[in-house]
Amino acid sequence: EVQLVENGGGLIQPGGSLRLSCAVSGFSVTSTYMSWVRQAPGKGLEWVSVIYSGGSTYHADSVKGRLTISRDTSKNTVYLQMNSLRVEDTAVYYCARTHDYKYYMDVWGNGTTVTVAS
Amino acid sequence: QSVLTQPPSVSGAPGQRVTISCTGSSSNIGAGFDVHWYQHFPGTTPKLLIYGNTNRPSGVPDRFSGSKSGTSASLAITGLQAEDEADYYCQSYDRSLSGWVFGGGTKLTVL
């Protein structure tokens, strides 16, 4: 069964760090693109980061230099390292399997909530 | 301000037809990148509704259809049902931003 399970969210102070994980089952993380998408309270969906099947990574301008996507192929898991967190990073973070040339997201995890507050 | 523009809300009575527009630019939809649509019930996982402008994943009713023309796309829902009440998002790729872009979302209310 194809499944994505996110973990690692929580309450963190501004300036702090957190690492989200997305455990993948039913396919290999090296066979497709994997993305992180977030939804802030009362806001819409926002793409955050992507890691290509070959390992290249790209990030939205709003998180560049602070949030970093990576993967561990031995664990079939994708990560989002979140540093220098800001209040505006508060959101539900979803990982999503992303089609590698049509760019749609066909499988989503249930999401993990990150709250940045003092 | 989202790169793709959607109306904040639309509404319709049961059985009616509604459309949701998604307007982009020459660096995303107009550049030939496909438009995809998602249905999202608050507190749940977003669901792929339409991919590649017009295609429905297995299990999505044919009441849902998509189209694309120029720098815009539309999602049409016919035979509106109460369970269609949700948020709908369009999504594409933007070559200027080198990244994925979403519309701001449209809340569908079934009257």
Side-chain angles (χ1 to χ4, degrees), chain B residues 38-53:
Chain B
Y38 302 87
Q39 179 186 58
H40 190 204
F41 297 99
T44 69
T45 295
K47 172 188 172 182
L48 180 65
L49 197 63
I50 298 287
Y51 68 95
N53 306 314

Side-chain angles (χ1 to χ4, degrees), chain B residues 10 14 20-21 23 33 39 47 63-64 70 72 74 79 84 93 109:
Chain B
V10 297
I20 299 173
S21 61
T23 303
F33 293 106
Q39 179 186 58
K47 172 188 172 182
R63 301 187 296 104
F64 295 89
S72 296
S74 288
D84 298 333
Y93 183 86
T109 300

Side-chain angles (χ1 to χ4, degrees), chain A residues 33 35 37 39 43-47 50 52 58-59 61 64 94 98-99 102-111, chain B residues 33-34 36 38 40 43-48 50-52 87 89 91-93 97-105:
Chain A
Y33 295 1
S35 296
V37 175
Q39 183 177 35
K43 303 292 186 180
L45 300 175
E46 179 190 17
W47 171 74
V50 67
Y52 286 6
Y58 298 89
H59 301 82
D61 287 344
K64 208 168 287 183
Y94 299 97
T98 304
H99 196 279
K102 287 291 191 180
Y103 302 138
Y104 58 83
M105 300 167 187
D106 65 340
V107 181
W108 295 65
N110 286 330
Chain B
F33 293 106
D34 287 349
H36 319 293
Y38 302 87
H40 190 204
T44 69
T45 295
K47 172 188 172 182
L48 180 65
I50 298 287
Y51 68 95
D87 297 321
Y89 294 89
Q91 174 252 309
S92 187
Y93 183 86
L97 298 173
S98 297
W100 280 249
V101 288
F102 284 92

Side-chain angles (χ1 to χ4, degrees), chain A residues 10-83:
Chain A
L11 173 63
I12 188 78
Q13 291 189 335
S17 297
L18 212 56
R19 188 178 80 158
L20 308 183
S21 63
C22 172
V24 174
S25 54
F27 66 95
S28 170
V29 296
T30 61
S31 67
T32 186
Y33 295 1
M34 293 294 296
S35 296
W36 285 97
V37 175
R38 69 184 180 184
Q39 183 177 35
K43 303 292 186 180
L45 300 175
E46 179 190 17
W47 171 74
V48 174
S49 302
V50 67
I51 184 165
Y52 286 6
S53 50
S56 299
T57 62
Y58 298 89
H59 301 82
D61 287 344
S62 59
V63 307
K64 208 168 287 183
R66 301 186 302 114
L67 276 56
T68 304
I69 191 171
S70 64
R71 69 188 181 190
D72 184 330
T73 57
S74 68
K75 296 181 179 178
N76 212 34
T77 297
V78 177
Y79 300 98
L80 186 67
Q81 178 65 43
M82 311 174 75
N83 298 330

